[in-house]
Amino acid sequence: MKIAVVQFEPKIGNTSFNLQKMISQITKIDADLIIFPELATSGYFIPTKDEIISLSLNIESAEIQELINLSNQSKKGIVFGFPEKSEKGNFNSSMLILPNGSHFIYRKTHLFFKERFLFTEGDTGFFNVYWKQFDINIGMMICYDWRFPESARTLALKGADLIVCPSNLVTDVWHISMPSRALENKVYFAVANRIGIETINDESCKFLGESAIWSYNGSILTKASKSIEEVLISEIEPQKTRDKSFNPFNDIFKDRKPEFYF
Ligand code: ACM
């Protein structure tokens, strides 16, 4: 199975431009699953709740339906971050679309910085989606969720083979953490980060690229630059994540002692 991470720079506040850019990438990229950054349709540093609501999409919106149709026509799975409008609130969400038309929304659990003034706290929790064609379990988390090892651990304990993490990362310390999450859980890990700078008044967010895909042993498969739009592609073998033993006596899940962990 081939997975692709798209490192790109959305135009802030311009959903139709960003969507067209995503569509053009999905059409061009030769991969089975294509992963875009957090808030790919809207951009990140939106100043007010009213503005983020005006950029938010719901499941019935023409934009999302277009991506669902494209997934079906191209036979490619798609993951992308977007501001989601729903009856339950206004979420920083990530959607996984499979070519058979099924689609799944993860709502960001840990809100970063001023996101708390714009978004409702995620209510989906962490879950995996099984894609039969490739015999793969895919779990989603979003950006700042990385600071909590419980995010990846929960997905892995629920059976993830691959964790995808649409991101808008503004530091580079996460490069210490992501390969550790891959290694300690024996899962593939794909981070789609963005590049560029967004400014509100005198405050700026600089997004630091370096999107990457790690193998289940923590080794890096591919990594992007800090400031150029790029597509990373890796071949993965999901079934290889499932035997959690690393010698005849040790198994990283069976050896856990949860009774001592709190
Ligand atoms: C982040 O959660 N966008 C850093």
Side-chain angles (χ1 to χ4, degrees):
M1 177 184 191
K2 263 202 267 186
I3 64 168
V5 155
V6 183
Q7 171 162 298
F8 88 156
E9 180 174 9
K11 218 177 237 186
I12 191 154
N14 194 334
T15 307
S16 63
F17 176 90
N18 298 328
L19 187 74
Q20 284 318 309
K21 196 161 160 175
M22 290 165 65
I23 289 171
S24 136
Q25 292 281 22
I26 295 161
T27 309
K28 275 195 296 217
I29 294 169
D30 176 22
D32 304 301
L33 178 69
I34 301 174
I35 305 148
F36 290 92
E38 177 184 16
L39 297 174
T41 60
S42 58
Y44 182 78
F45 206 22
I46 309 281
T48 66
K49 200 167 190 164
D50 283 348
E51 277 173 82
I52 197 75
I53 289 173
S54 75
L55 296 166
S56 295
L57 305 172
N58 66 24
I59 191 71
E60 273 85 38
S61 62
E63 291 88 348
I64 299 232
Q65 291 303 315
E66 200 168 351
L67 290 173
I68 291 174
N69 291 339
L70 182 59
S71 168
N72 183 258
Q73 285 156 17
S74 64
K75 305 284 171 247
K76 296 169 189 169
I78 306 168
V79 175
F80 66 100
F82 70 109
E84 183 204 356
K85 194 174 353 202
S86 99
E87 283 163 13
K88 291 188 174 165
N90 188 56
F91 298 96
N92 181 343
S93 294
S94 169
M95 179 176 272
L96 166 60
I97 303 173
L98 297 184
N100 67 4
S102 56
H103 44 78
F104 308 86
I105 292 178
Y106 164 68
R107 295 171 172 159
K108 188 173 184 178
T109 304
H110 306 97
L111 296 178
F112 179 69
F113 197 48
K114 296 184 179 174
E115 288 173 30
R116 65 192 61 229
F117 305 122
L118 303 180
F119 295 109
T120 313
E121 270 181 21
D123 61 354
T124 55
F126 298 99
F127 62 92
N128 294 300
V129 174
Y130 183 64
W131 188 358
K132 191 163 186 287
Q133 183 184 351
F134 295 102
D135 181 26
I136 183 170
N137 294 292
I138 303 169
M140 291 183 275
M141 52 190 253
I142 301 177
C143 203
Y144 178 58
D145 284 331
W146 76 266
R147 281 267 181 185
F148 305 86
E150 295 87 349
S151 310
R153 183 58 117 198
T154 302
L155 287 168
L157 288 174
K158 288 182 168 183
D161 303 306
L162 166 67
I163 296 177
V164 295
C165 187
S167 296
N168 280 188
L169 287 148
V170 290
T171 68
D172 46 24
V173 288
W174 53 278
H175 278 279
I176 302 167
S177 180
M178 304 303 194
S180 305
R181 299 292 88 81
L183 173 66
E184 71 204 4
N185 292 299
K186 200 175 175 185
V187 292
Y188 289 96
F189 213 108
V191 177
N193 197 19
R194 58 159 293 179
I195 56 165
I197 298 177
E198 289 175 353
T199 302
I200 302 174
N201 302 323
D202 55 356
E203 193 168 26
S204 291
C205 284
K206 181 170 185 198
F207 304 99
L208 294 177
E210 294 193 310
S211 300
I213 304 173
W214 285 271
S215 184
Y216 54 80
N217 60 7
S219 66
I220 195 142
L221 296 175
T222 174
K223 179 177 165 184
S225 67
K226 271 189 183 296
S227 57
I228 296 172
E229 292 194 318
E230 282 178 64
V231 178
L232 304 175
I233 298 186
S234 288
E235 190 81 45
I236 65 167
E237 296 177 272
Q239 302 76 17
K240 291 214 163 158
T241 67
R242 294 182 192 161
D243 175 1
K244 302 291 185 187
S245 64
F246 60 96
N247 68 36
F249 307 104
N250 292 110
D251 177 299
I252 55 172
F253 280 7
K254 291 191 188 132
D255 290 348
R256 294 176 68 246
K257 302 287 178 202
E259 65 273 27
F260 291 125
Y261 294 162
F262 293 107

